[in-house]
């Protein structure tokens, strides 16, 4: 209960205390504790009481955990007293170098609550470095001819301290011939100058030894010394003199190393050593070499006009007395055609549309030749015959543009070679090749492999079978070459087209949707279209003519002689005095098929009197083969078979009833019920046929009985299913064949004329008869004979026509 109240009390006071603590924290951060100590204090030295300066009592130190936060632990805090101690060596020169002010800044950290305090410790310089010279002694040569007042700059000393602790002055040991002047540079550094006070005499004193002292103003001051050795040399009254002040020479850039450039020459009027001249470069170089004895200048390396066009070299000639003369050698480098042109492509368009118009920018070409003059003048050209050309844009800049018509299908890419040739002697050239790819554009319509297609399809084909395949190619690429096929026109009715054929859009295979019937449709034509998938799409059309081939699926149909209304065969009369070859009648038949399948032949299948009549093999004309004999019967029955030329052949039969009579009245009694004397040979043939038929029927009955007994023993009801009435009987409507396109494209009329002899003539009618119209022909007496009815079938394949009841033949 108490803890909860305490927590609530703290929560209530926290909004009031937080701004107060934040202000204290900010004040603590803004305060900075400053100390100043000399450098090189020993470790453990007290810098100051940090806890006291931060107003922290000694009792708070264990909980506040006062410490120093610094990358380099120069200082530490004593935990018992809060004093700031030196923890490592403090070398001002190492820490701050030559800076006039040196201070170490760090943060003191106190916890509970957490506070940061900025501490600044300034490091004061102490005179702990002595001025030092780089050498313990220096050599100096002074000619005895040197005039008084001449100054010589001496070596300087170094002091790492700053302020008064650094180098302040130079002193020279006492000498009647020399004095010292302290000089100061702009940066405040000091340097000594030696002054010649009076002329020197090498013969009296050839060597002088002086002590040079460098001092600072520290407390105590520190000094550094070096020995100055002055050698008095003999006077050289005459300096060397070059034959020319300036030497000029031209040199080709491709001369090999070791080639002599020129030879400089200097003379000295002195004698002895003072007249011996040594040649040297004022500034050493790595391009030319100099013979120090004779002054011959040679090349050390290969020269390049494009890098340096002119060299100016200073050559010194020093005599033995130390006098120096100088001359200038100016070497002019002559350019030679040793650099090939550089060809660079910029903004190269690697993919070019094949329908790009002439003048389309392909690339920018930069030509650069490092040579100068004519050696740097460049001509640019294209190699080979390509539909591109180069146009000069500006100096050393060219444009590569299209020049002719591009066709990706003929040339998908071009390897363009550009040759840049300068005008040097001999000329140098550079060739660069780049491959330009031509991008496809849908500019080619599909092309069928054939100009037109003709397909022969036999009738009664299975539905769904492929009957043809069209193929078109497109030389474009990608979707531009993807071809799909469709039927766009046909001479069939649009509603019936889909029930006849279809085409695969992908393969171009044409399928028959139904079984074709040659007798109904002999040919039809389709217009197929091949369309690519470009944008915009291009297409091509081709005609496909389908010819439906005939099969022998229709038997011949006998048009004449026709059966009577009661189904009986009609009769024809033949004059008794008919001579051999007399045209009795003509069997007229048609076949709905075509070609060989409709090529009909006529044969005598059965005759009452063999040899009496003959039938034309192709015409079907029935003629007398001989004259009628006394023993020949007046009534003759002739069975004529009509066969087509198909494989296998189909046939039909026609029954002819012929009566030998001179008139119709004479022929009527012969049609009475008086029996005709039978022919023994015909009766024998009849009995043989009946016996053969009876034996066949008995054999079939025995086989059927055996099968029935076997099925009955198996006790399988399913086996008796087909013996039940009505189960296996199939019936359906019969469609009469269409003979409008058969072998008899017109009808026949039979006309009878009575001129004392009965004769039948077949006359061709001028107009085709309509379906169902009976053909009747008559004479003046009004007697008519029914010949045919188009609504009734008169084809009786392989059967004999039965006589009506009461007729005897």
């Amino acid at each position: 209960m108490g803890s909860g109240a305490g927590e609530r009390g703290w929560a209530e006071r926290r909004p009031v205390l937080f701004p107060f603590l934040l202000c204290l924290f900010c004040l603590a951060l803004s305060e900075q504790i400053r100390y100043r100590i000399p450098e090189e204090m020993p470790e453990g030295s007290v810098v100051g009481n940090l806890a006291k300066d931060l107003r922290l009592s000694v009792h708070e130190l264990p909980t506040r955990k006062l410490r120093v936060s610094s990358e380099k632990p120069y200082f530490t805090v004593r935990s018992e007293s809060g004093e700031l101690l030196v923890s490592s060596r403090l070398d001002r020169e190492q820490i701050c170098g030559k800076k006039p002010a040196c201070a170490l800044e760090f943060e003191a950290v106190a916890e509970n609550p957490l506070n940061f305090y900025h501490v600044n410790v300034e490091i004061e310089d102490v005179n702990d470095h002595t001025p030092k010279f780089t050498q313990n002694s220096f050599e100096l040569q002074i000619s005895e001819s040197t005039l008084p007042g001449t100054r010589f700059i001496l070596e300087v000393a170094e002091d790492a301290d700053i302020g008064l602790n650094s180098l302040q002055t130079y002193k020279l040991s006492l000498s009647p011939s020399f004095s010292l002047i302290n000089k100061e540079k702009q940066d405040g550094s000091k340097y000594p100058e030696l002054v010649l006070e009076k002329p020197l005499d090498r013969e009296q004193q050839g060597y002088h030894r002086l002590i040079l002292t460098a001092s600072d103003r520290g407390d105590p001051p520190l000094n550094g010394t070096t020995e100055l050795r002055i050698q008095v040399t003999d006077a050289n009254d005459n300096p060397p003199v070059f034959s020319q002040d300036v030497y000029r020479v031209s040199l080709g850039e491709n001369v090999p190393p070791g080639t002599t450039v020129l030879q400089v020459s200097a003379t000295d009027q002195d004698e002895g050593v003072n007249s011996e001249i040594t040649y040297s470069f004022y500034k050493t170089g790595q391009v030319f070499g100099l013979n120090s004895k004779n002054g011959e200048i040679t090349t050390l390396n290969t020269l390049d006009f494009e890098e340096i066009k002119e060299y100016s070299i200073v050559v010194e000639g020093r005599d033995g007395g130390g006098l120096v003369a100088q001359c200038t050698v100016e070497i002019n480098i002559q350019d030679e055609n040793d650099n090939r042109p550089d060809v660079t492509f910029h903004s190269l368009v690697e993919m070019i549309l094949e329908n790009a118009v002439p003048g389309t920018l392909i690339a920018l070409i930069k030509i650069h030749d490092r040579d100068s003059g004519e050696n740097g003048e460049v001509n640019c050209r294209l190699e080979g015959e390509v539909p591109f050309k180069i146009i000069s844009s500006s100096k050393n800049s060219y444009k590569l543009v299209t020049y002719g018509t591009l066709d990706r299908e003929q040339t998908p890419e071009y390897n363009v070679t550009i040759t840049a040739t300068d005008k040097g002697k001999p000329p140098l050239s550079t060739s660069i090749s780049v491959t330009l790819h031509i991008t496809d554009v849908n500019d080619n319509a599909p092309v069928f492999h054939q100009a037109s297609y003709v397909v022969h399809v036999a009738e009664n084909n299975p539905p769904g079978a492929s009957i043809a395949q069209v193929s078109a190619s497109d030389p474009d690429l990608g979707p531009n070459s993807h071809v799909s096929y469709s039927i766009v026109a046909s001479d069939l009715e649009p509603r019936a087209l889909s029930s006849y054929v279809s085409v695969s859009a992908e393969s171009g295979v044409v399928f028959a949707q139904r079984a074709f019937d040659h007798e109904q449709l002999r040919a039809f034509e389709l217009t197929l279209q091949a369309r690519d998938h470009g944008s915009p799409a291009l297409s091509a059309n081709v005609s496909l003519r389908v010819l439906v081939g005939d099969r022998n699926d229709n038997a011949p149909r006998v048009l004449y002689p026709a059966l009577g209304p009661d189904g009986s065969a009609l009769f024809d009369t033949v004059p008794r005095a008919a001579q051999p070859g007399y045209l009795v009648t003509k069997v007229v038949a048609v076949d709905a098929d075509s070609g060989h399948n409709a090529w009909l032949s006529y044969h005598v299948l059965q005759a009452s009197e063999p040899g009496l009549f003959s039938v034309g093999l192709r015409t079907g004309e029935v003629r007398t083969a001989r004259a009628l004999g006394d023993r020949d019967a007046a009534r003759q029955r002739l069975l004529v078979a009509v066969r087509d030329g198909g494989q296998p052949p189909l046939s039909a039969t026609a029954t002819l009833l012929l009566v030998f009579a001179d008139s119709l009245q004479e022929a009527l009694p012969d049609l009475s019920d008086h029996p005709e004397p039978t022919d023994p040979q015909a009766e024998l043939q009849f009995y043989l046929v009946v016996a053969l038929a009876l034996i066949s029927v008995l054999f079939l009955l025995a086989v059927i009985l055996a099968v029935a007994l076997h099925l009955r023993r198996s006790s399988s009801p399913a086996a008796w299913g087909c013996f039940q009435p009505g189960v296996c009987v199939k019936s359906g409507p019969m469609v009469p064949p269409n003979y409008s396109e058969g072998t008899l494209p017109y009808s026949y009329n039979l006309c009878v004329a009575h001129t004392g002899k009965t004769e039948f003539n077949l006359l061709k009618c001028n107009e085709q008869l309509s379906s169902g119209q009976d053909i009747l022909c008559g004479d003046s007496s009004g007697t008519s004979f029914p010949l045919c009815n188009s609504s009734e079938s008169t084809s009786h394949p392989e059967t004999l026509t039965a006589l009506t009841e009461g007729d005897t033949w």
Side-chain angles (χ1 to χ4, degrees):
M1 186 69 179
S3 61
E7 291 177 357
R8 285 194 302 270
W10 166 250
E12 294 172 355
R13 291 191 303 270
R14 183 167 53 185
V16 179
L17 293 177
F18 182 74
F20 177 72
L21 293 176
L22 181 60
C23 294
L24 292 179
F25 182 70
C26 295
L27 290 174
L29 289 178
S30 63
E31 292 181 357
Q32 188 174 28
I33 309 300
R34 296 182 180 273
Y35 298 100
R36 177 179 295 180
I37 60 173
E39 65 174 331
E40 302 294 345
M41 290 183 66
E43 295 183 9
S45 300
V46 178
V47 177
N49 195 323
L50 182 60
K52 181 178 179 182
D53 294 336
L54 295 177
R55 298 181 180 86
L56 299 177
S57 64
V58 179
H59 303 289
E60 293 180 292
L61 293 179
T63 58
R64 298 301 300 273
K65 296 180 181 180
L66 184 64
R67 67 183 185 277
V68 173
S69 173
S70 177
E71 296 179 357
K72 294 183 179 180
Y74 291 110
F75 304 97
T76 184
V77 178
R78 181 176 294 171
S79 60
E80 295 84 0
S81 61
E83 293 177 332
L84 182 65
L85 305 179
V86 176
S87 61
S88 62
R89 181 189 174 206
L90 297 175
D91 187 353
R92 184 191 180 284
E93 289 73 29
Q94 183 179 2
I95 297 173
C96 299
K98 286 286 188 178
K99 291 182 180 180
C102 181
L104 294 176
E105 294 184 356
F106 56 91
E107 285 78 27
V109 181
E111 298 181 358
N112 300 318
L114 181 63
N115 281 336
F116 292 90
Y117 306 96
H118 293 283
V119 180
N120 183 294
V121 179
E122 183 178 351
I123 308 299
E124 294 181 346
D125 182 47
V126 268
N127 193 19
D128 57 346
H129 290 87
T130 301
K132 290 184 179 180
F133 290 94
T134 58
Q135 297 180 11
N136 294 328
S137 64
F138 292 95
E139 295 286 343
L140 182 63
Q141 291 182 354
I142 301 177
S143 176
E144 61 178 337
S145 61
T146 304
L147 297 178
T150 303
R151 298 183 179 187
F152 303 92
I153 298 176
L154 302 179
E155 186 71 20
V156 297
E158 297 291 338
D159 193 337
D161 294 325
I162 63 171
L164 296 177
N165 295 329
S166 65
L167 176 65
Q168 296 295 324
T169 182
Y170 292 92
K171 293 181 181 180
L172 186 67
S173 60
L174 296 176
S175 173
S177 301
F178 299 96
S179 64
L180 189 69
I181 299 177
N182 286 281
K183 303 286 285 187
E184 185 175 352
K185 297 180 181 179
Q186 293 182 354
D187 60 356
S189 61
K190 311 234 180 354
Y191 65 93
E193 282 189 355
L194 181 66
V195 181
L196 180 63
E197 295 292 339
K198 63 179 183 177
L200 299 176
D201 188 355
R202 189 188 64 82
E203 289 72 25
Q204 291 183 4
Q205 186 178 356
Y207 211 85
H208 297 267
R209 294 179 181 271
L210 303 175
I211 302 300
L212 180 62
T213 302
S215 303
D216 59 22
R217 293 183 183 179
D219 187 14
L222 299 178
N223 300 318
T225 61
T226 184
E227 184 181 11
L228 182 61
R229 300 175 183 179
I230 301 174
Q231 181 182 1
V232 181
T233 62
D234 186 25
N236 187 16
D237 300 331
N238 296 290
V241 177
F242 281 94
S243 60
Q244 298 179 22
D245 291 336
V246 178
Y247 292 85
R248 293 182 176 89
V249 65
S250 296
L251 190 64
E253 64 174 327
N254 289 334
V255 296
T259 301
T260 300
V261 178
L262 58 85
Q263 185 176 6
V264 296
S265 176
T267 59
D268 195 324
Q269 295 181 2
D270 292 329
E271 294 181 353
V273 177
N274 293 331
S275 65
E276 296 179 358
I277 300 174
T278 301
Y279 300 95
S280 64
F281 288 129
Y282 178 71
K283 292 182 179 180
T284 59
Q286 298 180 353
V287 179
F288 300 96
L290 177 63
N291 190 323
S292 62
K293 298 297 183 181
N294 57 17
E296 184 181 42
I297 300 175
T298 58
T299 59
L300 297 179
N301 298 322
T302 302
L303 304 178
D304 192 350
F305 171 82
E306 288 70 36
E307 293 183 0
I308 301 177
K309 296 177 176 58
E310 186 178 14
Y311 292 90
S312 182
I313 305 173
V314 177
V315 179
E316 289 184 346
R318 183 184 297 272
D319 61 16
L323 294 180
V324 177
Q326 294 181 343
C327 71
T328 302
V329 179
E330 294 181 356
I331 303 174
N332 185 22
I333 307 300
Q334 299 294 322
D335 181 46
E336 295 186 8
N337 193 23
D338 59 342
N339 290 280
R340 297 179 182 274
D342 293 330
V343 182
T344 305
F345 281 95
H346 296 276
S347 304
L348 177 62
V349 179
E350 295 185 358
M351 303 300 291
I352 307 169
L353 293 177
E354 63 176 325
N355 61 351
V357 297
T360 301
L361 179 64
I362 303 303
L364 296 177
I365 304 171
K366 293 287 187 179
I367 308 295
H368 177 67
D369 196 323
R370 298 178 62 191
D371 296 324
S372 60
E374 290 187 353
N375 297 331
E377 295 180 7
V378 180
N379 291 326
C380 191
R381 71 179 187 274
L382 282 174
E383 300 291 342
E385 294 184 2
V386 292
F388 305 97
K389 69 176 181 179
I390 292 179
I391 301 175
S392 178
S393 176
S394 61
K395 184 179 180 181
N396 298 328
S397 295
Y398 298 87
K399 292 180 180 180
L400 178 64
V401 298
T402 57
Y403 181 67
T405 303
L406 304 178
D407 190 351
R408 188 208 62 81
E409 288 70 35
Q410 293 184 0
T411 308
E413 64 182 21
Y414 292 91
N415 191 15
V416 178
T417 301
I418 299 174
T419 301
T421 306
D422 58 26
K423 296 182 180 180
K425 295 181 181 180
L428 299 179
S429 61
T430 299
S431 296
I432 184 172
S433 297
V434 62
T435 301
L436 301 178
H437 300 275
I438 308 302
T439 303
D440 183 53
V441 177
N442 192 25
D443 57 345
N444 290 278
V447 177
F448 283 95
H449 296 167
Q450 297 182 22
S452 62
Y453 293 84
V454 177
V455 179
H456 295 271
V457 181
E459 64 176 335
N460 302 327
N461 57 290
S466 63
I467 60 174
Q469 182 176 11
V470 296
S471 179
S473 60
D474 195 322
D476 293 324
L477 290 178
N480 296 335
S481 64
H482 188 194
V483 179
S484 59
Y485 303 90
S486 62
I487 300 175
V488 295
S490 172
D491 56 2
L492 298 173
E493 293 184 4
R495 291 180 296 178
L497 175 62
S498 61
S499 64
Y500 276 88
V501 290
S502 65
V503 63
S504 173
E506 296 296 329
S507 62
V509 177
V510 181
F511 297 95
Q513 299 296 102
R514 62 188 297 178
F516 298 148
D517 189 353
H518 173 79
E519 289 71 37
Q520 293 184 0
L521 182 64
R522 293 192 175 186
F524 60 92
E525 188 168 340
L526 305 174
T527 300
L528 300 177
Q529 184 180 84
R531 178 181 292 270
D532 59 26
H533 291 184
S535 180
L538 300 179
S539 61
N541 295 342
V542 71
S543 64
L544 172 65
R545 184 168 181 80
V546 180
L547 302 178
V548 180
D550 182 54
R551 287 184 176 177
N552 194 23
D553 57 346
N554 290 280
R557 179 182 177 187
V558 178
L559 299 181
Y560 182 83
L563 299 178
D566 56 353
S568 62
L570 302 181
F571 68 94
D572 291 319
T573 61
V574 183
R576 291 183 179 273
Q579 297 299 320
Y582 175 80
L583 178 61
V584 177
T585 185
K586 183 176 182 179
V587 178
V588 180
V590 294
D591 195 320
D593 296 322
S594 61
H596 283 280
N597 297 330
W599 195 5
L600 303 180
S601 61
Y602 301 86
H603 309 272
V604 177
L605 186 63
Q606 188 178 2
S608 301
E609 188 65 35
L612 183 57
F613 299 97
S614 64
V615 179
L617 180 64
R618 297 301 177 189
T619 62
E621 294 178 347
V622 180
R623 296 179 182 270
T624 57
R626 59 180 176 86
L628 181 66
D630 296 336
R631 299 183 58 183
D632 296 330
R635 293 172 293 179
Q636 295 290 330
R637 181 175 178 272
L638 189 64
L639 185 61
V640 179
V642 184
R643 295 191 183 93
D644 58 22
Q647 293 294 333
L650 300 178
S651 63
T653 58
T655 304
L656 300 178
L657 302 180
L658 304 177
V659 178
F660 284 91
D662 292 333
S663 64
L664 183 60
Q665 288 79 8
E666 185 182 354
L668 291 177
D670 291 334
L671 298 177
S672 62
D673 295 336
H674 297 288
E676 183 183 358
T678 60
D679 187 2
Q681 185 177 359
E683 291 182 357
L684 179 60
Q685 292 179 355
F686 175 74
Y687 291 138
L688 288 176
V689 171
V690 172
L692 182 60
L694 184 59
I695 292 172
S696 300
V697 171
L698 292 176
F699 175 74
L700 290 175
L701 290 176
V703 172
I704 293 173
L705 183 60
V707 173
L709 292 175
H710 178 72
L711 294 176
R712 187 171 184 179
R713 291 192 190 99
S714 63
S715 300
S716 174
W720 293 88
C722 284
F723 294 97
Q724 297 178 3
V727 174
C728 295
V729 178
K730 295 182 179 179
S731 63
M734 299 289 290
V735 179
N738 181 11
Y739 296 98
S740 63
E741 297 181 358
T743 58
L744 190 62
Y746 46 83
S747 304
Y748 285 91
N749 289 342
L750 179 62
C751 299
V752 180
H754 185 70
T755 58
K757 295 183 180 180
T758 304
E759 184 176 355
F760 295 88
N761 294 325
L762 296 174
L763 302 177
K764 182 170 68 174
C765 297
N766 294 328
E767 298 180 356
Q768 294 184 0
L769 301 179
S770 60
S771 178
Q773 180 180 359
D774 295 337
I775 303 174
L776 298 178
C777 297
D779 56 2
S780 60
S781 61
T783 305
S784 62
F785 302 90
L787 294 181
C788 62
N789 190 326
S790 60
S791 62
E792 296 179 0
S793 175
T794 60
S795 298
H796 307 281
E798 304 298 339
T799 58
L800 298 177
T801 304
L803 297 176
T804 57
E805 187 178 355
D807 293 339
T808 58
W809 291 89

